[in-house]
Amino acid sequence: MLCLGIEGTAHTFGVGIVASNGKILANVSKTYVPAKGGIHPRDAAQFHAANARAVLDQALEKAKIGLGDVDLIAFSVGPGLGPCLRTAATAARAIAAWLRVPIIGVNHCVSHVEIGRLTEKAKDPVTLYVSGGNTQVIAFDAGRYRVFGETLDIPVGNCLDVFAREVGIPHPGGPNVERLAREGKRYIHLPYVVKGMDLSFSGLMTEAVRRHRGGADLRDLCHSLQETAFAALVEVTERAVAHTEKREVMLTGGVAANSRLREMLGLMAKERGARFYVPPMELCGDQGAMIAWTGLLMHKHGIRDTLAQTQVRQRFRTDEVDVVWR
Amino acid sequence: MALIKKGAEANLYLEDFSKVLHAAGRGKVIVKHRISKRYRVSELDRRLRESRTALEAKLFADAKLAGVPAPVVYEVDRIGMRIVMEFIDGRLVKQVLNRLRPKARRKLCELIGRQVARLHLGGIIHGDLTTSNMILTREGKVYFVDFGLGEYNPSLEARGVDLHLLKRALQSIHFRITDEAYRAVLAGYKREFGRGAREVIKRVEEIEKRGRYIPKEERAWH
């Protein structure tokens, strides 16, 4: 059975084609990069609409199949930016209706965990999912992916990106902050906020920008910003590991590309005697393969959506999904 | 020293009073040692461990003053990052809550709610209200034993987050009885807190809605 998965929660439009044995036949995406400033949902959605056909064709070509070979359509039903979600959903509905194949709406955050479990053979990890749009510590418990900790304000990727933009570091913000941080030597004290299991990064970002205006060395600031934000992430993940007594830790999402974060989380896992996994980078960021694979898992366990049930859910929470496949 | 708990940020040891503090003393004490984390830079590591050790000791004392059972602090060591405190004999609320009969559970949750209200009225935020940080003694007292993430903060927001965390803890460990348990917590909280409790509870609901998925235009920081 072949599933075609469509991802479109934020600035990436992706199409993945996955077989029911877990083989990824194609995984093509295109990412909207604004000329300046942040992502405007409407512009991102227009970008998706304009590129949907090309991405779809490329994916089919890469997988060496025709559209008629597809048995199931999965798409990212939420959470995400409304206009982007609706664009991806429209594409998914159109293809499913045309082919007369089943359609399934997939939770974006859950699919990040599932693709990691597929490729890394992790059985039951505590997952730190960090991106420009999400920051969550997720662990499976009693039929659900429970959120053990999350940001109370902005996601960590957004904290890094906005800081970069405010201080004039060019796009892409995160990787450039990381590069500058390697040259930083002095640690500047910045607000470190962990509230129980939850995190907050907006104060950290504001203070880092303020310090820059006050004349602090940019390399030191990047170093300190990363160290502070990542230490908080690792601390909360560690608390979840201690709490759940799980023996595996996984890192995913766009910020998983940061080698310092990998190093820190890996050290924590080692100190606690847990295995540490990071999926290949092309599967950490947003893409269609994770949607397709999760759609296959859901379909295999009897989940069916009618077209009417495919309305997008901008605030679809990770812990709302009934995980019948585990 | 006998390691009794390896937490995320500290190790707890059960020790003889006479060995740790004074030869004339009897009974047991708990030694809480904040361990160094290799994953974070030493400046941050030291800052977090030292400030948390000092602050936690103060919070224990002030929680008692506010009328909330908490262990007596015998010694604070800011160099060795250790707190030596009273050993509380009892069972973790985490382990008993699911097994109690509904009526007893409601009473226990109400008591917890009352105690949280007392802390809040005393200007204290616990910061990590989970049922594994509460010990139920034989006499039916509930000790709050970990103030490692606590702070002094009289704001509505901090109180709301504190209660929200308790609700989240109930959801993640006691998901079968969450609603009932949380209702009882709120009943106790309201009774003890008096005027203004409603405002705090309303804030909890707001915080929940915020979760993370706030439309960009509604975000305060934008």
Side-chain angles (χ1 to χ4, degrees):
Chain A
M1 183 171 200
L2 290 183
C3 180
L4 184 134
I6 300 178
E7 155 66 28
T9 55
H11 61 333
T12 299
F13 184 87
V15 172
I17 299 168
V18 179
S20 43
N21 63 6
K23 193 165 184 322
I24 299 169
L25 304 178
N27 200 16
V28 179
S29 21
K30 262 197 163 160
T31 300
Y32 165 69
V33 181
K36 62 180 270 227
I39 301 163
H40 192 298
R42 184 193 56 213
D43 293 344
Q46 277 167 2
F47 173 88
H48 294 349
N51 289 282
R53 181 60 196 264
V55 173
L56 174 67
D57 287 345
Q58 268 183 51
L60 291 170
E61 196 182 320
K62 184 91 196 290
K64 298 194 180 69
I65 62 164
L67 195 54
D69 298 325
V70 171
D71 306 295
L72 174 69
I73 303 292
F75 74 101
S76 54
V77 70
L81 306 170
C84 303
L85 290 171
R86 284 189 288 274
T87 306
T90 304
R93 289 184 203 117
I95 300 170
W98 167 258
L99 292 176
R100 294 173 194 274
V101 297
I103 180 169
I104 290 182
V106 172
N107 181 294
H108 174 91
C109 304
V110 166
S111 75
H112 269 291
V113 179
E114 287 303 344
I115 196 73
R117 286 182 62 227
L118 170 69
T119 62
E120 300 313 293
K121 309 265 186 293
K123 286 190 185 71
D124 188 19
V126 170
T127 303
L128 174 62
Y129 164 37
V130 276
S131 68
N134 291 287
T135 297
Q136 298 184 341
V137 177
I138 304 165
F140 185 77
D141 192 6
R144 303 251 162 152
Y145 281 112
R146 313 225 171 234
V147 177
F148 279 79
E150 66 188 318
T151 179
L152 295 167
D153 41 52
I154 57 173
V156 67
N158 190 270
C159 171
L160 297 171
D161 284 345
V162 175
F163 169 77
R165 218 150 66 213
E166 292 287 318
V167 302
I169 296 172
H171 182 87
N176 283 331
V177 168
E178 182 184 3
R179 194 174 41 75
L180 285 164
R182 277 197 212 107
E183 295 161 24
K185 287 189 183 66
R186 204 170 63 88
Y187 177 76
I188 300 166
H189 284 297
L190 294 170
Y192 178 96
V193 185
V194 169
K195 288 178 188 262
M197 302 287 269
D198 288 329
L199 301 139
S200 161
F201 297 105
S202 61
L204 170 63
M205 189 267 285
T206 311
E207 177 64 8
V209 172
R210 206 180 65 82
R211 286 298 190 99
H212 177 255
R213 295 198 177 126
D217 184 279
L218 189 57
R219 291 163 300 183
D220 288 345
L221 260 183
C222 288
H223 165 66
S224 310
L225 178 66
Q226 279 198 169
E227 289 300 326
T228 311
F230 295 170
L233 290 170
V234 177
E235 176 171 22
V236 170
T237 311
E238 179 166 21
R239 295 171 75 81
V241 175
H243 196 87
T244 58
E245 293 170 358
K246 295 196 193 285
R247 309 305 305 264
E248 297 175 322
V249 177
M250 187 160 78
L251 173 65
T252 190
V255 186
N258 190 297
S259 52
R260 177 59 183 148
L261 178 57
R262 288 172 182 232
E263 180 187 26
M264 290 169 75
L265 204 64
L267 273 171
M268 181 278 283
K270 203 171 161 199
E271 278 181 357
R272 294 208 77 85
R275 282 168 184 272
F276 179 53
Y277 304 98
V278 190
M281 207 44 228
E282 64 271 18
L283 293 176
C284 280
D286 293 353
Q287 25 72 30
M290 64 179 190
I291 303 294
W293 173 241
T294 312
L296 279 167
L297 290 172
M298 293 167 78
H299 185 265
K300 191 175 161 195
H301 288 80
I303 297 174
R304 302 286 185 275
D305 282 345
T306 63
L307 267 186
Q309 285 170 318
T310 59
Q311 199 160 17
V312 301
R313 301 173 67 180
Q314 274 168 266
R315 302 180 193 197
F316 195 6
R317 289 190 55 85
T318 308
D319 47 17
E320 281 179 72
V321 180
D322 202 358
V323 185
V324 290
W325 59 91
R326 279 191 67 173
Chain B
M1 284 205 275
L3 180 70
I4 57 165
K5 192 184 161 194
K6 193 169 159 53
E9 64 159 352
N11 290 341
L12 290 188
Y13 301 93
L14 186 61
E15 212 12 305
D16 291 331
F17 189 107
S18 58
K19 274 196 195 141
V20 181
L21 293 165
H22 192 282
R26 315 178 107 218
K28 297 281 185 189
V29 294
I30 291 287
V31 177
K32 177 167 183 172
H33 177 221
R34 281 193 160 69
I35 40 192
S36 175
K37 299 288 179 187
R38 283 203 303 135
Y39 66 76
R40 59 193 174 202
V41 286
S42 60
E43 295 95 325
L44 181 60
D45 187 64
R46 204 172 324 113
R47 178 182 74 163
L48 290 174
R49 289 161 68 216
E50 188 182 341
S51 62
R52 285 175 180 178
T53 300
L55 181 64
E56 183 173 16
K58 243 165 85 62
L59 287 163
F60 274 132
D62 286 339
K64 284 185 93 67
L65 285 175
V68 174
V72 174
V73 173
Y74 298 130
E75 189 180 64
V76 186
D77 174 0
R78 292 173 70 153
I79 309 295
M81 313 290 185
R82 297 187 320 159
I83 294 176
V84 183
M85 66 181 117
E86 181 187 4
F87 168 63
I88 308 298
D89 199 5
R91 291 157 76 195
L92 293 181
V93 171
K94 178 184 176 181
Q95 283 156 359
V96 295
L97 196 64
N98 284 336
R99 283 188 238 141
L100 286 175
R101 297 220 192 120
K103 202 177 162 198
R105 187 154 62 217
R106 201 165 56 237
K107 266 186 74 182
L108 177 59
C109 288
E110 271 186 39
L111 178 61
I112 291 169
R114 291 183 92 108
Q115 295 191 171
V116 175
R118 278 184 211 151
L119 287 181
H120 287 183
L121 287 171
I124 298 171
I125 298 301
H126 185 279
D128 192 14
L129 286 169
T130 71
T131 48
S132 42
N133 284 332
M134 301 172 191
I135 294 178
L136 177 65
T137 65
R138 218 176 274 253
E139 309 88 70
K141 279 187 169 182
V142 175
Y143 277 77
F144 287 4
V145 292
D146 186 348
F147 280 80
L149 287 170
E151 59 169 337
Y152 294 92
N153 190 338
S155 75
L156 190 59
E157 174 73 13
R159 288 168 178 169
V161 171
D162 215 20
L163 267 182
H164 164 70
L165 290 175
L166 176 54
K167 187 178 181 186
R168 284 277 307 278
L170 292 172
Q171 282 169 339
S172 58
I173 318 163
H174 310 283
F175 37 87
R176 284 189 190 89
I177 52 155
T178 300
D179 294 347
E180 168 216 325
Y182 184 63
R183 260 201 307 279
V185 166
L186 288 188
Y189 188 88
K190 278 188 216 159
R191 197 165 316 145
E192 190 71 29
F193 199 94
R195 272 160 60 104
R198 225 167 268 276
E199 233 186 315
V200 180
I201 293 162
K202 234 180 100 187
R203 181 58 69 100
V204 178
E205 287 161 15
E206 268 178 52
I207 291 164
E208 255 161 58
K209 277 198 209 119
R210 260 187 249 161
R212 149 68 196 105
Y213 308 116
I214 332 158
K216 216 170 180 182
E217 53 276 12
E218 283 174 30
R219 283 183 210 153
W221 51 271
H222 208 74

